[in-house]
């Protein structure tokens, strides 16, 4: 995909955090903790940002030559926001093992899915391409090394791990 979009803090695609919702603090506290909640939107919903796919014939064809709706802001029927990241700003001190289960970022329909996610330092990120054509995966960060790799087929899975916590807007993915 040749089009480019820079994703800012509310519209981030990646947030590297030292701690995330539902992570056990057993080593630091001698017990466990879970954070649960709901993020509701109040006010006038934003209109979807329309993304021109004209710079890539295959992406443009997927949407019949029309702009594709962005997924920066999606309001669910119950008033909650679809893409929200909650993190613990000052987690308890401790040496936490990253989850064994990888986080999956998929290019599907010329969009990254999910739009927002958290990943623990040291946890594996699997980047997939569900489209039947070439994409590239371009990560930009301030604390972790930038990378830009082609991803030709569904069989190619790019695996990455990050060494430093990083929050938006300092880290994001783009396809160019």
């Amino acid at each position: 995909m040749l089009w480019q979009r820079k994703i800012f803090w509310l519209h981030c695609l990646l947030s590297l955090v030292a701690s995330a919702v539902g992570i056990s603090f057993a080593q630091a506290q001698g017990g466990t903790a879970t954070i649960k909640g709901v993020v509701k939107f109040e006010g006038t919903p934003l209109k979807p940002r329309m993304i021109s796919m004209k710079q890539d014939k295959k992406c443009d064809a997927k949407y019949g030559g029309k702009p594709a709706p962005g997924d920066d802001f999606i309001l669910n029927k119950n008033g909650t926001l679809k893409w929200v990241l909650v993190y613990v700003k000052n987690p308890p001190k401790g040496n936490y093992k990253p989850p064994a289960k990888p986080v999956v970022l998929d290019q599907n329909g010329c969009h990254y899915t999910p739009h927002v996610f958290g990943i623990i330092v040291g946890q594996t990120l699997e980047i997939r391409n569900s489209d039947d054509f070439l994409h590239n995966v371009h990560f930009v960060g301030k604390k972790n090394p930038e990378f830009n790799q082609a991803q030709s087929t569904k069989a190619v899975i790019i695996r990455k791990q990050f060494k430093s916590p990083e929050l938006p807007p300092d880290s994001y993915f783009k396809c160019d």
Side-chain angles (χ1 to χ4, degrees):
M1 188 176 333
L2 299 174
W3 63 274
Q4 194 179 79
R5 68 180 194 184
K6 191 168 182 177
I7 309 301
F8 295 99
W9 73 273
L10 181 60
H11 306 145
C12 70
L13 292 175
L14 173 68
S15 296
L16 301 173
V17 295
S19 218
V21 173
I23 299 303
S24 169
F25 297 123
Q27 293 168 332
Q29 300 291 336
T32 62
T34 301
I35 299 172
K36 292 184 180 183
V38 174
V39 178
K40 289 201 170 203
F41 179 81
E42 293 180 3
T44 305
L46 302 173
K47 292 182 180 178
R49 179 174 59 100
M50 301 307 287
I51 302 168
S52 172
M53 299 286 183
K54 295 287 183 202
Q55 291 183 346
D56 187 284
K57 291 178 186 178
K58 291 181 179 178
C59 287
D60 193 43
K62 263 194 171 306
Y63 295 95
K66 297 179 182 176
D71 55 2
D72 308 21
F73 179 89
I74 296 179
L75 187 61
N76 297 316
K77 291 180 182 181
N78 65 358
T80 60
L81 292 172
K82 182 170 184 177
W83 305 117
V84 175
L85 175 70
V86 176
Y87 71 98
V88 177
K89 187 173 182 178
N90 296 306
K93 300 268 187 247
N95 185 15
Y96 305 107
K97 284 186 172 184
K101 183 178 178 184
V103 171
V104 175
L105 179 62
D106 189 11
Q107 292 200 67
N108 190 353
C110 301
H111 284 272
Y112 286 112
T113 304
H115 191 79
V116 176
F117 62 88
I119 186 168
I120 306 299
V121 169
Q123 184 176 9
T124 299
L125 173 65
E126 287 188 357
I127 306 166
R128 299 179 184 175
N129 176 4
S130 289
D131 290 330
D132 292 327
F133 46 87
L134 176 71
H135 280 298
N136 79 301
V137 181
H138 190 167
F139 170 76
V140 178
K142 287 190 176 178
K143 295 180 182 179
N144 292 284
E146 181 172 344
F147 63 86
N148 189 0
Q149 289 182 246
Q151 193 170 32
S152 58
T153 66
K154 290 181 181 187
V156 175
I157 296 176
I158 297 170
R159 290 179 177 85
K160 295 288 183 180
Q161 289 185 344
F162 299 95
K163 294 183 179 182
S164 298
E166 200 163 353
L167 289 170
D170 295 338
S171 62
Y172 57 91
F173 279 92
K174 63 182 181 173
C175 182
D176 47 20

Short mmCIF file of all heavy atoms in Angstrom, two decimals, residues 13-45:
data_model
loop_
_atom_site.label_atom_id
_atom_site.label_comp_id
_atom_site.label_asym_id
_atom_site.label_seq_id
_atom_site.Cartn_x
_atom_site.Cartn_y
_atom_site.Cartn_z
N LEU A 13 -1.96 2.81 16.83
CA LEU A 13 -2.06 1.40 16.50
C LEU A 13 -1.22 0.54 17.43
O LEU A 13 -1.43 -0.65 17.52
CB LEU A 13 -1.57 1.17 15.06
CG LEU A 13 -2.47 1.77 14.01
CD1 LEU A 13 -1.85 1.61 12.64
CD2 LEU A 13 -3.82 1.10 14.06
N LEU A 14 -0.27 1.14 18.06
CA LEU A 14 0.58 0.36 18.96
C LEU A 14 0.93 1.19 20.16
O LEU A 14 1.29 2.33 20.02
CB LEU A 14 1.88 -0.04 18.26
CG LEU A 14 2.91 -0.71 19.14
CD1 LEU A 14 2.42 -2.08 19.58
CD2 LEU A 14 4.23 -0.83 18.43
N SER A 15 0.82 0.60 21.30
CA SER A 15 1.28 1.23 22.53
C SER A 15 2.06 0.20 23.30
O SER A 15 1.52 -0.83 23.68
CB SER A 15 0.10 1.72 23.36
OG SER A 15 -0.58 2.71 22.65
N LEU A 16 3.30 0.46 23.49
CA LEU A 16 4.12 -0.45 24.28
C LEU A 16 4.05 0.04 25.70
O LEU A 16 4.39 1.17 25.99
CB LEU A 16 5.56 -0.42 23.77
CG LEU A 16 5.71 -0.82 22.32
CD1 LEU A 16 7.14 -0.60 21.87
CD2 LEU A 16 5.32 -2.24 22.14
N VAL A 17 3.60 -0.80 26.58
CA VAL A 17 3.40 -0.38 27.96
C VAL A 17 4.07 -1.35 28.91
O VAL A 17 4.22 -2.52 28.62
CB VAL A 17 1.90 -0.25 28.29
CG1 VAL A 17 1.27 0.85 27.49
CG2 VAL A 17 1.18 -1.55 28.07
N ALA A 18 4.44 -0.85 30.07
CA ALA A 18 5.07 -1.70 31.07
C ALA A 18 4.05 -2.60 31.72
O ALA A 18 4.39 -3.65 32.25
CB ALA A 18 5.76 -0.83 32.11
N SER A 19 2.79 -2.22 31.69
CA SER A 19 1.76 -3.00 32.34
C SER A 19 0.44 -2.74 31.64
O SER A 19 0.24 -1.68 31.09
CB SER A 19 1.66 -2.57 33.80
OG SER A 19 1.43 -3.67 34.61
N ALA A 20 -0.46 -3.69 31.63
CA ALA A 20 -1.74 -3.52 30.94
C ALA A 20 -2.86 -4.12 31.77
O ALA A 20 -2.63 -4.81 32.74
CB ALA A 20 -1.68 -4.20 29.57
N VAL A 21 -4.06 -3.85 31.36
CA VAL A 21 -5.24 -4.34 32.08
C VAL A 21 -5.19 -5.86 32.22
O VAL A 21 -4.89 -6.57 31.27
CB VAL A 21 -6.51 -3.94 31.33
CG1 VAL A 21 -7.74 -4.56 31.96
CG2 VAL A 21 -6.64 -2.43 31.31
N GLY A 22 -5.48 -6.34 33.41
CA GLY A 22 -5.57 -7.78 33.62
C GLY A 22 -4.26 -8.48 33.91
O GLY A 22 -4.24 -9.68 34.05
N ILE A 23 -3.16 -7.75 34.00
CA ILE A 23 -1.87 -8.38 34.27
C ILE A 23 -1.77 -8.64 35.78
O ILE A 23 -2.07 -7.79 36.59
CB ILE A 23 -0.72 -7.49 33.80
CG1 ILE A 23 -0.82 -7.25 32.30
CG2 ILE A 23 0.63 -8.08 34.18
CD1 ILE A 23 -0.82 -8.51 31.47
N SER A 24 -1.31 -9.80 36.13
CA SER A 24 -1.19 -10.18 37.54
C SER A 24 0.04 -9.52 38.15
O SER A 24 1.10 -9.48 37.55
CB SER A 24 -1.06 -11.70 37.64
OG SER A 24 -0.69 -12.06 38.94
N PHE A 25 -0.13 -8.97 39.37
CA PHE A 25 0.98 -8.38 40.10
C PHE A 25 1.36 -9.29 41.26
O PHE A 25 1.76 -8.84 42.32
CB PHE A 25 0.60 -7.00 40.62
CG PHE A 25 0.31 -6.02 39.52
CD1 PHE A 25 -0.91 -5.37 39.46
CD2 PHE A 25 1.25 -5.75 38.54
CE1 PHE A 25 -1.17 -4.47 38.45
CE2 PHE A 25 0.99 -4.86 37.54
CZ PHE A 25 -0.22 -4.22 37.48
N ALA A 26 1.27 -10.60 41.08
CA ALA A 26 1.48 -11.56 42.17
C ALA A 26 2.88 -11.45 42.77
O ALA A 26 3.03 -11.54 43.98
CB ALA A 26 1.24 -12.97 41.66
N GLN A 27 3.89 -11.26 41.95
CA GLN A 27 5.26 -11.24 42.47
C GLN A 27 5.51 -10.03 43.38
O GLN A 27 6.21 -10.12 44.35
CB GLN A 27 6.25 -11.24 41.32
CG GLN A 27 6.21 -12.55 40.55
CD GLN A 27 6.96 -12.44 39.25
OE1 GLN A 27 7.08 -11.38 38.67
NE2 GLN A 27 7.47 -13.56 38.78
N ALA A 28 4.90 -8.90 43.05
CA ALA A 28 5.15 -7.69 43.82
C ALA A 28 4.26 -7.60 45.05
O ALA A 28 4.67 -7.08 46.06
CB ALA A 28 4.94 -6.46 42.93
N GLN A 29 3.06 -8.10 44.99
CA GLN A 29 2.10 -7.90 46.05
C GLN A 29 1.80 -9.16 46.86
O GLN A 29 1.14 -9.08 47.88
CB GLN A 29 0.77 -7.39 45.46
CG GLN A 29 0.88 -6.08 44.73
CD GLN A 29 1.16 -4.92 45.65
OE1 GLN A 29 0.85 -4.96 46.83
NE2 GLN A 29 1.80 -3.88 45.14
N GLY A 30 2.21 -10.32 46.41
CA GLY A 30 1.87 -11.57 47.09
C GLY A 30 0.45 -12.00 46.78
O GLY A 30 -0.06 -12.95 47.34
N GLY A 31 -0.22 -11.34 45.86
CA GLY A 31 -1.59 -11.65 45.46
C GLY A 31 -1.75 -11.25 44.01
O GLY A 31 -0.79 -11.05 43.30
N THR A 32 -2.97 -11.13 43.57
CA THR A 32 -3.21 -10.70 42.19
C THR A 32 -4.15 -9.52 42.19
O THR A 32 -4.84 -9.25 43.17
CB THR A 32 -3.82 -11.85 41.35
OG1 THR A 32 -5.08 -12.20 41.93
CG2 THR A 32 -2.90 -13.04 41.29
N ALA A 33 -4.18 -8.82 41.08
CA ALA A 33 -5.08 -7.68 40.92
C ALA A 33 -5.60 -7.67 39.49
O ALA A 33 -4.89 -8.05 38.57
CB ALA A 33 -4.35 -6.39 41.22
N THR A 34 -6.82 -7.26 39.34
CA THR A 34 -7.42 -7.12 38.03
C THR A 34 -8.09 -5.76 37.97
O THR A 34 -8.76 -5.36 38.91
CB THR A 34 -8.47 -8.22 37.77
OG1 THR A 34 -7.83 -9.49 37.89
CG2 THR A 34 -9.08 -8.09 36.39
N ILE A 35 -7.90 -5.07 36.87
CA ILE A 35 -8.57 -3.79 36.66
C ILE A 35 -9.64 -4.03 35.61
O ILE A 35 -9.35 -4.56 34.54
CB ILE A 35 -7.58 -2.72 36.17
CG1 ILE A 35 -6.50 -2.50 37.22
CG2 ILE A 35 -8.31 -1.44 35.83
CD1 ILE A 35 -5.38 -1.61 36.75
N LYS A 36 -10.87 -3.63 35.92
CA LYS A 36 -11.98 -3.77 34.97
C LYS A 36 -12.68 -2.43 34.86
O LYS A 36 -12.76 -1.69 35.83
CB LYS A 36 -12.97 -4.84 35.44
CG LYS A 36 -12.41 -6.24 35.41
CD LYS A 36 -13.47 -7.24 35.79
CE LYS A 36 -12.88 -8.64 35.74
NZ LYS A 36 -13.88 -9.66 36.02
N GLY A 37 -13.21 -2.16 33.70
CA GLY A 37 -13.94 -0.92 33.52
C GLY A 37 -14.53 -0.81 32.14
O GLY A 37 -14.37 -1.70 31.30
N VAL A 38 -15.22 0.27 31.90
CA VAL A 38 -15.85 0.55 30.62
C VAL A 38 -15.52 1.99 30.25
O VAL A 38 -15.56 2.88 31.10
CB VAL A 38 -17.39 0.39 30.73
CG1 VAL A 38 -18.08 0.80 29.46
CG2 VAL A 38 -17.74 -1.05 31.08
N VAL A 39 -15.19 2.22 28.99
CA VAL A 39 -14.93 3.57 28.52
C VAL A 39 -16.08 3.97 27.62
O VAL A 39 -16.27 3.40 26.55
CB VAL A 39 -13.58 3.67 27.76
CG1 VAL A 39 -13.35 5.08 27.25
CG2 VAL A 39 -12.44 3.23 28.66
N LYS A 40 -16.88 4.94 28.09
CA LYS A 40 -18.04 5.43 27.33
C LYS A 40 -17.74 6.79 26.74
O LYS A 40 -17.00 7.58 27.32
CB LYS A 40 -19.27 5.51 28.23
CG LYS A 40 -19.81 4.16 28.61
CD LYS A 40 -21.24 4.28 29.05
CE LYS A 40 -21.81 2.88 29.17
NZ LYS A 40 -23.22 2.86 29.05
N PHE A 41 -18.34 7.04 25.61
CA PHE A 41 -18.19 8.32 24.93
C PHE A 41 -19.43 9.15 25.15
O PHE A 41 -20.55 8.66 25.02
CB PHE A 41 -17.97 8.10 23.43
CG PHE A 41 -17.81 9.38 22.66
CD1 PHE A 41 -16.59 10.02 22.63
CD2 PHE A 41 -18.89 9.94 21.98
CE1 PHE A 41 -16.43 11.20 21.93
CE2 PHE A 41 -18.73 11.12 21.29
CZ PHE A 41 -17.51 11.76 21.26
N GLU A 42 -19.24 10.43 25.50
CA GLU A 42 -20.35 11.36 25.63
C GLU A 42 -20.10 12.51 24.67
O GLU A 42 -18.98 12.97 24.52
CB GLU A 42 -20.46 11.88 27.05
CG GLU A 42 -20.86 10.81 28.06
CD GLU A 42 -20.98 11.35 29.47
OE1 GLU A 42 -20.80 12.57 29.68
OE2 GLU A 42 -21.24 10.54 30.37
N GLY A 43 -21.16 12.97 24.03
CA GLY A 43 -21.02 14.08 23.11
C GLY A 43 -21.40 13.66 21.70
O GLY A 43 -22.00 12.61 21.48
N THR A 44 -21.05 14.48 20.75
CA THR A 44 -21.37 14.23 19.36
C THR A 44 -20.30 13.31 18.76
O THR A 44 -19.12 13.64 18.77
CB THR A 44 -21.40 15.55 18.56
OG1 THR A 44 -22.32 16.44 19.20
CG2 THR A 44 -21.82 15.31 17.12
N PRO A 45 -20.72 12.14 18.26
CA PRO A 45 -19.74 11.21 17.67
C PRO A 45 -19.03 11.82 16.48
O PRO A 45 -19.61 12.62 15.73
CB PRO A 45 -20.59 10.01 17.24
CG PRO A 45 -21.85 10.13 18.03
CD PRO A 45 -22.06 11.59 18.26
#
